Amino acid sequence: MSHLVTEEKVRSPTRRDSPPSTIASHHLNATSIGSAAANRIRGRGRIGRVHSIFSGAIDVTLRGDSIISIVREEVGSGPINIVTDLPRGRSMAELGVKKNAEVLRKDGEIVIGGKVVLLSLQQARLYRTEKDFPTKPRSISEISANVAAVTRTAARRGHHQGLGSLIPLLVPSGIEKKKGPAALNSFSRLALPRVRSLLSKIGEGRISELGAEVQNLAGLGPGLTPSSDDMLSGLMASLVLIAHNLKGDAEMVRRVNRKIALSARKRTTMLSEEYLSQAASGETNEHFQELIKKMLTAPPNEAKRSAELVLKVGETSGTDTVLGILLGFRLSLDKKSAVGVA
């Protein structure tokens, strides 16, 4: 996958070739750091405590109730992610880090749990979500063909324990709608009428009425970032990036996304709130950004390959986010929609 994100060196007072200042059980190097994460760990001393530990990530809560994620390479760069060189096949949970362990910033390093993990920031590059795509967007009919290709791929190859089974019901693409509501899991059955109502109100520009649907969706589904939240994040990020590159109504999109993000507050997990807040301004994981870019600028086979990569993210997060991205394209390509660009 090509990486056309904006990158630059993260400045540190420590020399790049200087040895680690702390003797630790595990030494890792950061390869990229999201712009939000970089801003949040400025200064020295205690920056926060470990919130949760998973195979792919260590989440750290900071002062002011913000959060950063220290992740494996395959998770990808993102606004709050610090990507490490932990070898593939290794789990963050194997490093011996404990929940509530103290996290310190010492010059160009992060020290986790006293001397358990030392993370060097010397080689890290700064990640910002690329919003101006250098390749000219394809025609609306070609973009629609990409949407159909990604929809079919997600319906066949996605993980449907979350909201993935809603894809054939919500995204027109020529997929035969074989599954009715009776075949849906409990999360999807609850979400379906709420998502339909949300899409209708966005399309009609009834922004002040979005709150009830968002509040009923936020936090719904399995995972630390529940399925409905992943869907909403994909929806918001795609609305921003599509409007930006197809010269849509950016102000209308900003108002829609702001209402969604505000309505979801205190209704879901801390990590989900963070992702929703970032997505409202179009900031997202590099894999999701790349999929949206391919759908706008590349032929169907490239969009399909990008979708296949995204669908592997997490247990259901990749599929649920793809659902949101597809809904963003559905609204954006509708000439009658308040956020339409066609």
Side-chain angles (χ1 to χ4, degrees), residues 6 18-19 35 47 80 108 111 161 179 206 295 302 338:
T6 303
S18 60
S35 55
I47 59 174
I80 65 167
V111 182
Q161 298 92 330
K179 294 183 178 181
R206 295 155 59 190
M295 292 173 71
E302 291 187 28

Side-chain angles (χ1 to χ4, degrees), residues 85-193:
D85 62 353
L86 185 71
R88 286 183 178 272
R90 293 288 306 281
S91 169
M92 287 286 184
E94 297 173 5
L95 301 180
V97 173
K98 303 296 184 184
K99 189 175 180 179
N100 294 320
E102 191 172 53
V103 181
L104 305 174
R105 172 73 187 264
K106 297 176 65 177
D107 294 324
E109 301 159 356
I110 292 177
V111 182
I112 307 174
K115 298 181 179 180
V116 177
V117 174
L118 179 132
L119 175 62
S120 172
L121 302 175
Q122 300 300 314
Q123 300 294 326
R125 293 186 175 274
L126 188 66
Y127 168 85
R128 293 191 180 95
T129 302
E130 176 197 35
K131 296 177 183 174
D132 286 307
F133 300 155
T135 304
K136 181 181 178 180
R138 300 171 77 84
S139 69
I140 296 299
S141 63
E142 290 172 320
I143 293 170
S144 296
N146 283 346
V147 173
V150 171
T151 301
R152 290 191 293 270
T153 301
R156 286 197 307 266
R157 306 189 65 171
H159 300 283
H160 295 171
Q161 298 92 330
L163 301 185
S165 54
L166 295 182
I167 291 172
L169 300 175
L170 293 173
V171 188
S173 64
I175 297 176
E176 185 180 350
K177 299 178 182 179
K178 296 181 180 179
K179 294 183 178 181
L184 302 177
N185 63 38
S186 59
F187 303 121
S188 294
R189 284 199 300 272
L190 284 171
L192 181 57

Side-chain angles (χ1 to χ4, degrees), residues 218-235:
L220 177 65
L224 184 62
T225 57
S227 295
S228 289
D229 301 343
D230 289 329
M231 180 272 295
L232 290 170
S233 292
L235 170 65

